[in-house]
Amino acid sequence: MTDESATEEVAWETTATGIDYACPGFDVRRDEVRFPDGTDAEYHYVDEPPAVVILPFTPDGDAVVIEEWRQAVGRVNRGLPAGGMEPEDAGGGSGDAPSLADLRAAAARELAEETGYEAEAFEHLITVEPSNGIANSVHHHFVATGCEPTAEQDLDHNESIRVRTADYDDLLAAVVDGDCRDGRTALAVTQYELTRR
């Protein structure tokens, strides 16, 4: 069986689509779908722009981390700077896939805005769909090196963030031990550890 025929065997057909709820940062989209057996239903999911996640290193090899209040879980979350591409980012909301240069620019902007740090270089680490059962999110992870606090932090009105540096091995241990529960951070650190270190 070819890949194409295997896909046709399980693929859903989208017959209509619309936004049921819109808020800053994401929408809730409703698709009218037809299943392979011919039956019809509605499917709702979170619709949001692509995002960048940055694993930033200082010249001394420490990781730049943030501590941010996360209302959905009701606690301060220790993790990495990250954020959605914005309309002014090329490909950041047009429906077109962003280029690697666009993603690097967004990563540089997010790093500076959330932490006040700027990097000498960005290297693409991995691209993932972190929750494709309930969202169309695509997260592009980058490693940033040579990071120095040379920019002004510029937080959004709904961001409460403290910036810290952490020994990378301590951050890795926190991920391995389950003390760092942020999924984007856990993925970036383990991917870095397995493929770059």
Side-chain angles (χ1 to χ4, degrees):
M1 182 181 298
T2 67
D3 286 342
E4 187 176 313
S5 61
T7 297
E8 289 174 5
E9 208 173 86
V10 298
W12 298 1
E13 177 188 356
T14 303
T15 58
T17 189
I19 302 298
D20 275 358
Y21 176 76
C23 66
F26 66 90
D27 298 330
V28 176
R29 181 172 290 279
R30 175 193 30 79
D31 285 351
E32 305 286 339
V33 298
R34 180 162 296 128
F35 299 128
D37 67 3
T39 58
D40 296 318
E42 290 183 350
Y43 186 80
H44 291 80
Y45 58 95
V46 174
D47 183 3
E48 63 180 356
V52 291
V53 182
I54 306 101
L55 174 56
F57 288 102
T58 68
D60 294 332
D62 288 336
V64 180
V65 297
I66 60 173
E67 296 170 348
E68 182 173 10
W69 178 259
R70 290 300 192 184
Q71 182 65 24
V73 292
R75 62 178 163 75
V76 172
N77 181 73
R78 183 175 183 226
L80 298 177
M85 294 190 74
E86 297 180 359
E88 64 267 20
D89 296 325
S94 65
D96 297 331
S99 71
L100 189 56
D102 297 336
L103 292 167
R104 281 192 182 110
R109 178 184 48 74
E110 282 292 334
L111 178 64
E113 287 178 358
E114 291 197 354
T115 69
Y117 278 75
E118 294 177 301
E120 287 181 357
F122 289 87
E123 179 186 1
H124 182 256
L125 183 60
I126 192 170
T127 295
V128 297
E129 299 168 355
S131 52
N132 59 19
I134 60 168
N136 65 359
S137 312
V138 178
H139 292 179
H140 303 273
H141 294 247
F142 286 85
V143 176
T145 52
C147 296
E148 300 271 14
T150 53
E152 289 293 324
Q153 193 180 33
D154 184 20
L155 299 177
D156 293 338
H157 75 281
N158 61 351
E159 290 179 314
S160 300
I161 292 176
R162 289 188 303 249
V163 181
R164 302 283 188 258
T165 57
D167 179 84
Y168 171 76
D169 287 328
D170 291 346
L171 179 60
L172 174 62
V175 166
V176 171
D177 295 342
D179 293 331
C180 178
R181 298 179 64 181
D182 181 74
R184 296 175 299 190
T185 302
L187 177 63
V189 169
T190 53
Q191 181 72 13
Y192 177 80
E193 189 65 20
L194 290 169
T195 64
R196 300 295 196 276
R197 194 153 179 225

